[in-house]
Amino acid sequence: QQQVKQSPQSLIVQKGGISIINCAYENTAFDYFPWYQQFPGKGPALLIAIRPDVSEKKEGRFTISFNKSAKQFSLHIMDSQPGDSATYFCAAKRAAGAGSYQLTFGKGTKLSVIP
Amino acid sequence: ETGVTQSPTHLIKTRGQQVTLRCSSQSGHNTVSWYQQALGQGPQFIFQYYREEENGRGNFPPRFSGLQFPNYSSELNVNALELDDSALYLCASGKGDTDTQYFGPGTRLTVL
């Protein structure tokens, strides 16, 4: 059972454009939603994260929009640059006991930013 | 850089063998989690250790086992390797009172 659904699978955006990646979740017990960026041959790097009591969070060119009632959240990358070309994963953490950090990941979106 | 290191970088084993992967957590972190990432997929949670005890396990068989040491370094052991175990194995560390996890660069395991 895939608990976090991510779309699109791949995305091509022109330099300077806006990249938008969407995720939907099913489990209302999730309480933390991070986005990770992964380059080939590297581990995932945390980009930005949000909690369900906040509708939007912005850090630089990256913004998360969160819709708790629809159980959806999205990543917006403004002024996309070729250096942003990577695979992006949304994830969700289920509230649990102390020190519990089980993340459920989406399948990833491969972003290509063309000059 | 996250301060999380993993060794070895690459590893080739044959079916039926056993393998041990190692992870050194970021200083001050007391949790470590292991994930398996198959090619073209998102990471899948294997298990997590908190204060040297297993604190959660994903849908992986018992031949996947681990240890966390007092210095918060960790091992992932996989027995009776199968072809489908070929993947990138990631460890992630964090502090017990925060939600942020930092991933290492991973170990690429190939099972022939």
Side-chain angles (χ1 to χ4, degrees):
Chain A
Q1 178 187 9
Q2 184 189 355
Q3 295 191 51
V4 179
K5 295 183 179 180
Q6 183 172 347
S7 63
Q9 188 174 350
S10 62
L11 182 61
I12 299 174
V13 173
Q14 284 216 305
K15 179 182 176 182
I18 302 173
S19 304
I20 301 174
I21 304 170
N22 301 299
C23 283
Y25 63 97
E26 301 163 2
N27 191 340
T28 55
F30 289 141
D31 68 346
Y32 175 73
F33 300 86
W35 284 89
Y36 284 87
Q37 177 191 58
Q38 186 175 31
F39 292 103
K42 303 291 185 182
L46 178 66
L47 262 181
I48 186 172
I50 199 168
R51 297 190 185 281
D53 55 348
V54 176
S55 61
E56 185 174 283
K57 183 175 181 180
K58 183 177 181 179
E59 289 184 1
R61 296 186 294 111
F62 301 94
T63 299
I64 301 178
S65 297
F66 192 89
N67 186 330
K68 186 175 181 179
S69 61
K71 292 187 284 186
Q72 295 175 348
F73 58 110
S74 60
L75 175 69
H76 292 64
I77 305 174
M78 312 299 288
D79 187 27
S80 299
Q81 299 297 313
D84 296 331
S85 297
T87 300
Y88 293 80
F89 293 95
C90 62
K93 180 188 80 70
R94 185 176 63 86
S100 177
Y101 296 105
Q102 179 176 340
L103 289 172
T104 301
F105 283 82
K107 290 192 173 183
T109 296
K110 185 174 182 180
L111 171 65
S112 299
V113 181
I114 54 177
Chain B
E1 296 299 322
T2 63
V4 180
T5 60
Q6 292 186 242
S7 62
T9 305
H10 297 89
L11 202 53
I12 299 174
K13 291 285 188 178
T14 56
R15 193 170 47 182
Q17 285 188 311
Q18 178 266 343
V19 69
T20 297
L21 310 181
R22 294 179 173 83
C23 172
S24 179
S25 300
Q26 187 172 338
S27 177
H29 288 182
N30 55 11
T31 72
V32 64
S33 303
W34 285 91
Y35 291 79
Q36 180 195 65
Q37 186 177 22
L39 203 59
Q41 300 294 316
Q44 296 279 321
F45 176 76
I46 301 175
F47 46 58
Q48 183 202 353
Y49 281 80
Y50 175 56
R51 294 180 176 173
E52 300 175 50
E53 294 203 1
E54 188 176 296
N55 189 36
R57 189 176 185 93
N59 189 26
F60 281 80
R63 60 189 185 85
F64 285 79
S65 63
L67 286 171
Q68 185 184 31
F69 300 102
N71 64 356
Y72 300 123
S73 63
S74 176
E75 285 183 356
L76 165 66
N77 299 288
V78 187
N79 293 321
L81 284 167
E82 301 177 359
L83 297 180
D84 285 349
D85 295 333
S86 294
L88 182 68
Y89 287 86
L90 298 159
C91 78
S93 73
K95 292 183 182 179
D97 57 351
T98 68
D99 285 322
T100 305
Q101 288 194 80
Y102 298 93
F103 282 83
T107 293
R108 172 71 62 187
L109 173 65
T110 302
V111 182
L112 302 176

